[in-house]
Amino acid sequence: MKEPVYIIDGSGYVFRAYYAIRSLSTSKGVPTNAVYGFCTMLQKLIKDHQPKYLAIAFDTGRKTFRSDMYPEYKAHRPPPPPDLPPQFDLIKRLVDCFEIAQFAEIGFEADDVIGTLTRLAREAGHPVVIVTGDKDMMQLVSPEVSLLDELRAAKTGTELMVTPAEVKAKFGVMPDKVIDVLALMGDASDNVPGVKGIGEKTAIELIQEYGSLESVLNCAPMMKQKSRREKILQDSDLARLSKQLVSIDCHVDIEFDLANLENNGPNLLKLKAFYEELEFSRLLTDLNKPVAIAAQVLDPVGLNGVAHDAKRYLKPGEITGDPMLASYMLNPDAKHDLSALAEQYGIDNVNELTQLLEDKVREQGFWELYKNLEIPVENILAGMEQTGVLIDTNLLAQMSEEFGTRLKELEGQAYDMAGVEFNLASPKQVGEVLFGRLGLVSAKNSKTSQSTGADILEDLAKVHPLPKLLLEHRMLSKLKGTYVDALPKLVKPATGRVHTSFNQAVAATGRLSSSDPNLQNIPIKTEAGRRIRQAFIADPGCVLIALDYSQIELRILAHVTNDPLMRDSFVHEQDVHQRTASEIFGVPFESVSAAQRRVAKTINFGLLYGMGVYKLSETLGISRSEANVYLSRYHERYAGIFKWRDDLMNSARELGEVRTLLGRRRFLHDIKSHNRMLVARAERIATNTPIQGTAADMVKKAMIDVDAFLKVNYPAVKILLQVHDELVLEAPEGIAEAVALKVQQVMENAYALNVPVKVQFGIGKNWALAH
């Protein structure tokens, strides 16, 4: 089970906070009661639930589509108290200090934004917790979507998660019928008319008896009770209108990237300044000591945003310890920012906190990994962040124009194919065209969901050209917004370079990630991705060198499993996928077709991520029986791999953890769960961590060795980037080839396996040419 996404009803929070605390203001008379209450509520939520993904939705305070539909909608609501509106912008500044993603869309209410975020999070495979006390939100509840009503929880003294069973107990109907009840009973606070004279109790009884609003209206003429019959007949149109008014629109056009919802803790320095400005003395007392200690250390580069790691405050080479990394060694899945650690261990002094965590690292046997791998890597990353990489902004401006032109072309082609103009970025309108107007059907969609996710479009592209066009439009639009248009804005005027932030304690496998920009997500194999890499350039007189480990994860698989066929492929430098195809299909190595090699490649890599029969058949577009035959043959020929996996699972169940070859630990808390989905997820982690985690450790070891080698032999050469299994260097043009050959050897010998380790390299004036 993936981590839940928490979505806060920000507008509801504001009003609850305002009425919970009254008459609070600064010495200059600025009202702050709602801000203070909002802050304490937000802190409590984060403390109690530690959400990995968190978003807040707000109303825009303007008219919405419901007002156009029914001008009286919310027309009777009194204006907010005069001391509340001045606090709206302060609250949004507070949310910025916490670095929490916030959403608001003109023409829609926060409810619609929440509904859309919920749908998008569910399509990404994550359960959702909506933090709200609004009964209208009950319509969104499902087995994977629950409501957290903190006000009721505070009153009862117990946490209340509203599940489908809770909705049934509250409304007498399941969540999908809540809007039918609301449509009949109306809502005086929002001026939703409903049926005059029908209250909540009667509305529930009617929906329970007839099943839906439409059935109630259709059966009204036959109802025996005269007064009820006449009320419903008289206001049937208002009931239908009311259902539209209370129905949450889950297809608002929103820029959604799950990575942007990651909750990595507040920006401590900005939050401290904000508390000082608003004179929040108690909150300052809670925050001040760890911030003050961190702020005493000079920040010489000022390039990293507020990552909470030591390289934010210390120069390259000065980092000797870091509580974030020590915590990461102990449990990579936990939270590692200073405020969370200070609260967890009850220590608000950074030096004391570091000492405590390092003692635990020693006790649990991770000192070598921490002191000789993670800390040196952090010093290297600090230097890489300080150096940055040069960007060709003129090329990006040209690409932006080209991408924009192509997007317009795709839109015109899409209109022609659909026979109507529509918003290609709107999942709702795309769904209406594909499933309604064109009548396309995907077996991957459920009866109740008409998703337009990438997998659905890929499936539909087999029978119609429009879905393929939509996929290209979606890809180009994302790349244009995320990189082509965004990269020039990230260039630091003082250096003329982009300085990405490398995140060392985010991925539980040990892999590095990056942000502002996120370099890990630039497509590797597409022409558009190659074009973007062209914009990463070398200084005049220099070139870039890209060095990439070749099939490192499969080589590690051969090492840990000691499977004779897998090892033999690498020892004799065969094409491993061609060899696997030869084994599976029973044909000579030289006779393997491209299609057979593709099947083998899918199985080889799929094995690392727990791919089964269903996923294999789906990926290759073949029947399950055919996929089962391929996997059976693979199991037979590569028995050593499956024996290793069986032994690994037995150990994982016994110990509740797995480790990489270098000793990095990953806990498997759900490996003995009664929930089969959680067990399956834990088993995938158990298989993947020793492979991908070891690859991550090897790359870090290589970085340390390469950095040491360059400092002694080629001090003019700089490590600029680390992306997946690749290092990118910048070197004077005259020595580039010699440097590349030497660094290739260093990387290949960074960590010995029982199969050869190979590194490929390229040299060029830009990243694409060097790749």
Side-chain angles (χ1 to χ4, degrees):
M1 180 71 72
K2 294 183 178 179
E3 291 279 350
V5 175
Y6 282 72
I7 306 172
I8 296 175
D9 176 4
S11 298
Y13 250 41
V14 169
F15 282 94
R16 283 189 175 187
Y18 176 82
Y19 288 107
I21 301 173
R22 305 305 298 267
S23 303
L24 185 65
S25 61
T26 68
S27 58
K28 296 179 180 179
V30 177
T32 58
N33 60 314
V35 187
Y36 189 90
F38 192 102
C39 183
T40 56
M41 292 164 66
L42 186 58
Q43 286 182 324
K44 185 177 188 306
L45 175 79
I46 293 172
K47 175 185 176 183
D48 291 348
H49 296 273
Q50 299 188 4
K52 181 175 181 180
Y53 300 103
L54 181 60
I56 300 181
F58 291 103
D59 289 323
T60 60
R62 306 182 187 185
K63 286 189 175 183
T64 69
F65 71 92
R66 293 180 178 86
S67 306
D68 297 332
M69 187 186 303
Y70 184 60
E72 292 83 2
Y73 179 71
K74 292 190 176 181
H76 297 162
R77 280 195 174 183
D83 58 340
L84 178 55
Q87 301 186 62
F88 291 159
D89 286 341
L90 290 173
I91 286 171
K92 291 179 180 179
R93 282 180 55 199
L94 172 71
V95 175
D96 282 336
C97 290
F98 273 91
E99 297 193 341
I100 297 171
Q102 52 182 307
F103 297 84
E105 290 294 325
I106 295 174
F108 296 91
E109 296 181 54
D111 291 9
D112 304 309
V113 176
I114 291 169
T116 301
L117 290 171
T118 297
R119 176 183 61 80
L120 293 169
R122 287 298 307 123
E123 288 178 358
H126 290 261
V128 175
V129 177
I130 302 173
V131 185
T132 184
D134 187 351
K135 66 179 182 298
D136 290 3
M137 291 290 184
M138 289 184 177
Q139 63 188 273
L140 299 176
V141 173
S142 72
E144 298 82 20
V145 179
S146 56
L147 307 185
L148 173 59
D149 188 344
E150 294 178 297
L151 185 61
R152 289 179 63 192
K155 288 180 178 178
T156 60
T158 58
E159 183 174 285
L160 180 61
M161 283 285 189
V162 179
T163 62
E166 289 280 347
V167 174
K168 182 72 182 294
K170 163 73 176 171
F171 258 64
V173 296
M174 293 303 286
D176 62 332
K177 300 301 179 184
V178 165
I179 54 175
D180 297 81
V181 173
L182 295 174
L184 282 170
M185 63 184 276
D187 187 338
S189 64
D190 288 346
N191 206 31
V192 175
V195 175
K196 189 175 181 180
I198 297 290
E200 180 176 325
K201 181 179 179 183
T202 303
I204 291 171
E205 290 175 357
L206 287 168
I207 299 303
Q208 286 176 335
E209 181 175 355
Y210 293 99
S212 69
L213 173 66
E214 207 55 45
S215 294
V216 170
L217 300 181
N218 290 336
C219 296
M222 287 79 77
M223 290 181 182
K224 295 179 181 179
Q225 191 173 335
K226 182 181 178 182
S227 63
R228 181 178 293 184
R229 179 175 69 242
E230 290 177 348
K231 290 172 184 174
I232 296 172
L233 288 173
Q234 180 178 333
D235 289 341
S236 58
D237 288 341
L238 286 177
R240 290 188 176 95
L241 172 65
S242 297
K243 184 170 181 177
Q244 289 182 280
L245 293 175
V246 300
S247 295
I248 293 173
D249 186 346
C250 295
H251 292 84
V252 181
D253 292 338
I254 289 176
E255 286 289 332
F256 179 82
D257 185 344
L258 192 65
N260 294 334
L261 271 60
E262 288 191 14
N263 173 36
N264 296 315
N267 182 319
L268 295 178
L269 299 178
K270 283 175 65 176
L271 192 59
K272 177 177 181 289
F274 184 81
Y275 287 170
E276 288 173 343
E277 176 188 340
L278 297 193
E279 301 171 7
F280 290 164
S281 56
R282 188 179 73 79
L283 297 178
L284 267 173
T285 300
D286 294 340
L287 182 71
N288 206 36
K289 286 187 178 179
V291 175
I293 293 168
Q296 288 171 7
V297 186
L298 289 179
D299 174 16
V301 290
L303 301 173
N304 298 323
V306 163
H308 296 291
D309 45 17
K311 59 184 166 62
R312 174 67 178 86
Y313 307 106
L314 298 171
K315 295 178 182 178
E318 291 183 348
I319 303 169
T320 58
D322 187 340
M324 176 191 74
L325 292 181
S327 171
Y328 184 60
M329 290 291 92
L330 297 170
N331 183 4
D333 290 295
K335 296 182 74 66
H336 313 294
D337 60 276
L338 280 180
S339 56
L341 293 174
E343 188 169 314
Q344 179 182 351
Y345 293 100
I347 296 175
D348 57 11
N349 180 291
V350 172
N351 293 329
E352 292 178 11
L353 183 63
T354 303
Q355 187 61 54
L356 172 71
L357 289 167
E358 288 187 344
D359 287 345
K360 289 180 177 292
V361 167
R362 281 191 180 91
E363 291 167 9
Q364 297 187 31
F366 300 116
W367 184 253
E368 182 74 16
L369 198 63
Y370 168 74
K371 201 66 177 178
N372 295 327
L373 190 78
E374 294 294 348
I375 294 297
V377 164
E378 188 171 23
N379 279 295
I380 295 169
L381 293 176
M384 292 163 60
E385 290 179 355
Q386 183 173 352
T387 301
V389 60
L390 196 62
I391 298 294
D392 187 340
T393 54
N394 292 329
L395 177 61
L396 288 171
Q398 177 187 329
M399 288 173 60
S400 179
E401 187 175 337
E402 291 177 13
F403 278 31
T405 300
R406 178 57 180 159
L407 288 169
K408 287 292 184 185
E409 291 174 356
L410 291 171
E411 287 172 6
Q413 293 172 19
Y415 300 157
D416 291 341
M417 290 180 188
V420 65
E421 291 191 6
F422 64 103
N423 183 353
L424 275 66
S426 166
K428 181 180 182 181
Q429 293 184 34
V430 168
E432 289 170 350
V433 168
L434 294 179
F435 309 123
R437 189 174 183 86
L438 299 180
L440 302 182
V441 177
S442 171
K444 296 183 179 182
N445 266 332
S446 67
K447 293 180 180 179
T448 58
S449 170
Q450 293 291 341
S451 169
T452 58
D455 58 334
I456 303 297
L457 293 182
E458 288 167 359
D459 186 42
L460 295 176
K462 300 170 186 174
V463 296
H464 198 282
L466 179 56
K468 182 178 180 181
L469 184 150
L470 292 171
L471 283 168
E472 183 183 353
H473 184 277
R474 190 175 292 181
M475 180 268 294
L476 282 178
S477 180
K478 181 174 182 179
L479 292 180
K480 185 176 186 292
T482 306
Y483 297 107
V484 178
D485 293 339
L487 282 171
K489 299 174 185 175
L490 295 173
V491 172
K492 299 291 180 182
T495 65
R497 291 179 167 234
V498 165
H499 302 263
T500 189
S501 295
F502 289 98
N503 309 310
Q504 202 171 346
V506 172
T509 57
R511 277 197 164 190
L512 298 176
S513 65
S514 61
S515 52
D516 299 322
N518 178 358
L519 301 176
Q520 318 294 326
N521 286 350
I522 301 176
I524 295 174
K525 298 179 180 178
T526 66
E527 174 62 18
R530 192 186 73 82
R531 293 285 311 281
I532 290 170
R533 280 180 166 78
Q534 286 179 343
F536 291 76
I537 59 176
D539 257 343
C542 293
V543 290
L544 300 184
I545 306 171
L547 301 109
D548 193 4
Y549 277 107
S550 171
Q551 297 178 323
I552 189 61
E553 291 183 356
L554 289 177
R555 293 175 192 272
I556 293 169
L557 180 68
H559 174 90
V560 297
T561 64
N562 213 24
D563 181 88
L565 288 183
M566 185 68 73
R567 283 190 59 222
D568 191 63
S569 297
F570 289 117
V571 168
H572 292 93
E573 298 188 10
Q574 292 178 323
D575 180 322
V576 67
H577 304 309
Q578 189 173 342
R579 173 67 183 272
T580 299
S582 174
E583 299 293 337
I584 292 176
F585 291 99
V587 297
F589 181 85
E590 298 79 11
S591 303
V592 170
S593 68
Q596 290 171 331
R597 184 182 183 278
R598 175 172 171 261
V599 171
K601 183 176 181 180
T602 302
I603 295 176
N604 277 334
F605 283 117
L607 185 73
L608 303 176
Y609 301 94
M611 177 182 284
V613 170
Y614 176 79
K615 186 64 177 177
L616 181 62
S617 68
E618 185 181 62
T619 303
L620 295 174
I622 59 178
S623 68
R624 294 190 194 180
S625 59
E626 189 176 2
N628 189 54
V629 169
Y630 294 155
L631 282 180
S632 296
R633 290 178 183 169
Y634 191 91
H635 194 296
E636 177 186 329
R637 298 300 295 151
Y638 292 87
I641 294 176
F642 293 91
K643 182 182 184 305
W644 166 78
R645 193 164 71 173
D646 289 343
D647 292 342
L648 180 71
M649 289 304 167
N650 290 333
S651 172
R653 292 186 187 98
E654 179 184 351
L655 301 175
E657 65 176 48
V658 286
R659 300 204 180 194
T660 68
L661 290 180
L662 278 75
R664 187 182 305 278
R665 176 173 62 187
R666 184 90 183 267
F667 285 115
L668 301 168
H669 299 296
D670 296 323
I671 195 72
K672 294 183 180 179
S673 171
H674 297 296
N675 184 321
R676 183 56 205 162
M677 288 180 62
L678 294 179
V679 172
R681 176 178 179 271
E683 289 176 345
R684 286 193 295 273
I685 291 172
T687 303
N688 178 250
T689 296
I691 307 301
Q692 192 178 92
T694 295
D697 290 344
M698 287 178 63
V699 173
K700 288 179 177 177
K701 178 66 167 57
M703 289 175 68
I704 295 169
D705 291 353
V706 169
D707 181 70
F709 171 80
L710 293 176
K711 278 184 168 61
V712 172
N713 298 282
Y714 298 98
V717 179
K718 304 292 183 185
I719 305 177
L720 299 186
L721 302 173
Q722 192 278 316
V723 180
H724 300 306
D725 305 324
E726 176 183 358
L727 294 183
V728 180
L729 316 181
E730 186 174 56
E733 194 165 6
I735 62 171
E737 187 169 356
V739 169
L741 289 168
K742 291 290 187 181
V743 172
Q744 180 187 44
Q745 294 177 8
V746 172
M747 291 177 67
E748 288 178 347
N749 291 288
Y751 187 87
L753 301 178
N754 61 17
V755 296
V757 175
K758 294 294 182 182
V759 171
Q760 301 169 332
F761 70 82
I763 301 172
K765 291 295 291 183
N766 63 58
W767 192 6
L769 291 175
H771 208 265

